[in-house]
Amino acid sequence: MGGGGALAVGLAGYGALLARLRRHARGRREAQPGELGHPADGRPRARASAENPAPAAPPLLASSPPAPTTGLAGGAAAQARPPADPSGPLTDPELDRYARHIALRELGGAGQRRLRAARVLVAGAGGLGAPVLQYLAAAGVGRITLADDDSVSLSNLQRQVIFATADIGRPKALAAADALARLNPHVAVTPLLRRVTGADRELVGAHDLVLDGTDSLASRLAINAACVAASVPLIAGAIAQWEGQVALYDPARGGPCLACLFPRPPAPGLAPSCAEAGVVGALPGVVGSLMAIEAIKLVGGVVASGAGAGLRGRMLILDGLWGDTRMVAVTARPGCPVCGGRGA
């Protein structure tokens, strides 16, 4: 068969797959005798039917009250709205857009609907925040709040790829929100022109998950305190020069908080900023992408279903200079002044 014929067959097969996904997502697909599914444990078993009902999907991490509007910035991105019923069936455009997710047995249509129903807060729209925001929006996380009080500068463009030269001087929150609106109109983005502080329990509590991409330990500790107070999981990343790290801090569900590992900021001069020490441009893209993967697994129900493991109680460390990664165990500290060591 010639190349054109093979391509036609491939496209026809892809079209048939999408048609099946649409029928399945709308609940119109009937189980066929002897048809097998592929559950998370990898062992085939019969698809759901009247005699063999499917297990209930695990719930989202937390209830999601309406997102606060304090500090809300205007702009085209703020006008984007997700479907009126986030738990309803996926639309045809969504089925096309997220087909590669739906084909994953660990996610499927149910996981994609969980992503659409999720509310995620991203603190910082810089080096780490940029890839986090892009991949969460592309993945279909339905409601994203991004908080940043900085403006785009020329030196940001070496690594903060969500921005372009034309964005120099614009608030990062607005420029990033506009970029996300162009990327995926199915996602509602709320830009906040401010930082997340330790007093933001209400803001944090309006979300299922927080991702911290800020650039100082003092900021991370403040965000950690708000997450502990609101019992909301925190995925935090950090980068310096050629190295990065990612961990999930969730004492409410059996893990440590950030303060268990780093109880206080280092003395001045001991932890130079990226501006002082430098950072290779691709590093935040790698670490931010790892943060986004952890978020997708968590809010998409992959971890809750047992189909995968998150980073609760573990820290992933990347050494880009030597091409090495390692995983280290992290535990709650008894008597931690922030979480009390309740995850111990």
Side-chain angles (χ1 to χ4, degrees):
M1 180 181 294
L7 177 61
V9 171
L11 291 175
Y14 180 63
L17 170 63
L18 287 179
R20 290 198 300 272
L21 290 173
R22 291 190 181 103
R23 290 195 298 271
H24 180 69
R26 291 172 178 167
R28 295 201 298 259
R29 188 174 186 274
E30 297 180 356
Q32 301 299 315
E35 188 175 29
L36 296 180
H38 297 278
D41 59 14
R43 296 191 297 270
R45 60 172 175 259
R47 284 195 185 274
S49 65
E51 294 77 20
N52 182 33
L60 283 174
L61 294 171
S63 60
S64 300
T69 57
T70 303
L72 176 65
Q79 306 305 315
R81 291 292 181 270
D85 181 11
S87 63
L90 298 170
T91 64
D92 284 355
E94 288 175 309
L95 288 168
D96 286 350
R97 181 181 288 266
Y98 308 126
R100 302 307 191 275
H101 268 180
I102 297 169
L104 292 171
R105 65 188 184 190
E106 297 85 1
L107 270 176
Q112 190 61 50
R113 289 193 297 274
R114 291 188 201 102
L115 291 175
R116 186 178 64 181
R119 295 177 185 265
V120 172
L121 170 62
V122 179
L128 291 174
V132 165
L133 289 164
Q134 288 172 302
Y135 276 109
L136 293 187
V141 171
R143 292 166 175 83
I144 298 174
T145 303
L146 65 97
D148 197 301
D149 65 346
D150 198 7
S151 297
V152 181
S153 66
L154 181 60
S155 63
N156 296 150
L157 303 185
Q158 165 253 12
R159 63 201 177 281
Q160 299 177 21
V161 295
I162 198 170
F163 306 121
T165 303
D167 291 318
I168 293 174
R170 294 190 66 200
K172 287 185 178 180
L174 292 184
D178 286 343
L180 300 186
R182 292 190 297 270
L183 176 63
N184 190 349
H186 299 286
V187 173
V189 181
T190 302
L192 303 179
L193 275 65
R194 67 177 186 86
R195 291 175 177 261
V196 179
T197 72
D200 277 320
R201 176 177 180 173
E202 182 178 354
L203 170 65
V204 169
H207 297 82
D208 302 303
L209 176 67
V210 176
L211 291 99
D212 178 10
T214 57
D215 57 2
S216 74
L217 184 55
S219 295
R220 296 186 200 114
L221 287 172
I223 295 166
N224 173 75
C227 289
V228 171
S231 296
V232 172
L234 169 66
I235 294 173
I239 54 173
Q241 297 182 329
W242 297 86
E243 297 184 356
Q245 63 187 42
V246 183
L248 168 63
Y249 301 103
D250 190 13
R253 297 164 187 83
C257 82
L258 179 64
C260 291
L261 279 67
F262 308 103
R264 62 186 63 85
L270 292 183
S273 66
C274 287
E276 298 168 321
V279 61
V280 63
L283 179 66
V286 176
V287 177
S289 295
L290 290 171
M291 294 169 66
I293 288 175
E294 291 303 310
I296 290 169
K297 291 191 301 184
L298 204 60
V299 299
V302 175
V303 174
S305 71
L311 287 177
R312 186 181 293 112
R314 300 186 297 161
M315 178 183 290
L316 176 62
I317 300 175
L318 168 70
D319 183 340
L321 190 60
W322 293 98
D324 185 32
T325 60
R326 60 189 184 276
M327 192 77 73
V328 298
V330 291
T331 58
R333 180 165 57 93
C336 171
V338 177
C339 72
R342 56 179 166 168

